[in-house]
Amino acid sequence: MAKEFSVPPVIFPSGGNPSTTTRVPTAPFQPNRPAASSAIPFMSFDIGTSAPAYTGSISTSSSSGPTSFEDEEPLLDELGIHPDQIWKKTRSILNPFRVNPNVHKDSDLSGPIVLYLAFGLFQLLAGKLQFGVILGWIVVSSIFLYVVFNMLAGRSGNLDLHTCTSVVGYCMLPVVMLAAVSLFLPQGAVVRFAVAGFFVLWAMRVSTNLMVSLADGGEEHRGLIAYACFLIYCLFSLLVIF
């Protein structure tokens, strides 16, 4: 037996007969499209109507700069390090009786730094860690010799601090040789002091000749300048002896 369900009556708001009322479905909302003769045209996405393309040629290479690595300067030249000049200046110190001052007119600090490092390495082989001491004494010695020379020369003195530091550094070559030779000499021997005196006089003579030749007003005070140079290199020799 089928089960019957009670269905409530349907009441329409209009109160009329649902069979006589017809609802017309409406389409979804659509915006009004402008007419073809509208003053504001649609945006055109046609590629052919875009702006004219650039027809010029694009150069990939610069006319002023280098075009390859072969045309560039070596890295040492860009840093201001010239090994050939360093070798010429170092070789001129080897002969204390014939020093060429023309080679040292262009002062630099590359060669002196190499000699300072060599001096510190030889001292390190001797069991002495003195890199900071050597650098500090070099700065003080350069300023000391610069002040002494300009005070003696007066107004005619034209020695600058850069040239003075370069000369003091290159003339450290005999002291560096002393540090290398002292590795094979016994401690406290008379020969050690005699060898140290020879290298100190060598460095003093070379530095004095370069100072007098490179700057004006120092020829008449050669003795005092030589004494100042002797004190400087004697101080460095004490690091090697003791």
Side-chain angles (χ1 to χ4, degrees):
M1 179 177 182
K3 187 177 181 180
E4 297 181 358
F5 296 90
S6 60
V7 179
V10 179
I11 302 174
F12 296 93
S14 58
N17 191 1
S19 61
T20 59
T21 303
T22 305
R23 291 186 180 183
V24 180
T26 59
F29 174 77
Q30 296 180 356
N32 297 326
R33 296 184 179 180
S37 60
S38 177
I40 304 177
F42 288 100
M43 182 180 295
S44 175
F45 293 95
D46 189 4
I47 300 177
T49 60
S50 60
Y54 178 73
T55 59
S57 60
I58 300 176
S59 176
T60 57
S61 61
S62 177
S63 59
S64 59
T67 58
S68 62
F69 290 103
E70 297 178 356
D71 299 334
E72 294 184 357
E73 296 182 358
L75 180 59
L76 294 179
D77 293 342
E78 293 182 358
L79 296 176
I81 302 174
H82 306 283
D84 53 345
Q85 294 184 3
I86 295 175
W87 169 244
K88 290 179 180 179
K89 293 178 182 180
T90 306
R91 188 175 57 184
S92 65
I93 306 296
L94 296 176
N95 190 354
F97 301 100
R98 296 182 60 184
V99 182
N100 187 9
N102 297 325
V103 183
H104 294 268
K105 286 185 178 180
D106 297 332
S107 58
D108 68 283
L109 298 180
S110 304
I113 290 176
V114 174
L115 294 176
Y116 300 157
L117 293 177
F119 185 40
L121 289 176
F122 284 124
Q123 289 292 94
L124 185 62
L125 292 176
K128 304 173 184 178
L129 185 60
Q130 298 175 341
F131 287 98
V133 176
I134 294 172
L135 180 60
W137 285 12
I138 283 293
V139 174
V140 175
S141 301
S142 302
I143 297 175
F144 168 72
L145 191 58
Y146 166 76
V147 172
V148 169
F149 186 92
N150 287 281
M151 288 180 63
L152 293 175
R155 295 182 178 179
S156 59
N158 57 352
L159 180 67
D160 55 0
L161 184 59
H162 190 270
T163 303
C164 184
T165 307
S166 177
V167 171
V168 172
Y170 276 106
C171 294
M172 282 286 296
L173 179 61
V175 182
V176 175
M177 297 172 65
L178 172 63
V181 173
S182 64
L183 296 176
F184 307 96
L185 297 178
Q187 292 285 341
V190 181
V191 181
R192 191 182 184 89
F193 290 94
V195 173
F198 170 75
F199 284 108
V200 168
L201 293 177
W202 182 357
M204 178 197 69
R205 181 179 177 85
V206 174
S207 60
T208 303
N209 292 337
L210 288 178
M211 287 290 180
V212 174
S213 301
L214 295 177
D216 300 331
E219 183 65 34
E220 57 184 0
H221 304 288
R222 179 183 287 269
L224 294 176
I225 296 173
Y227 178 68
C229 295
F230 173 78
L231 293 178
I232 291 175
Y233 295 106
C234 186
L235 183 65
F236 283 104
S237 66
L238 293 178
L239 294 176
V240 180
I241 297 175
F242 298 103

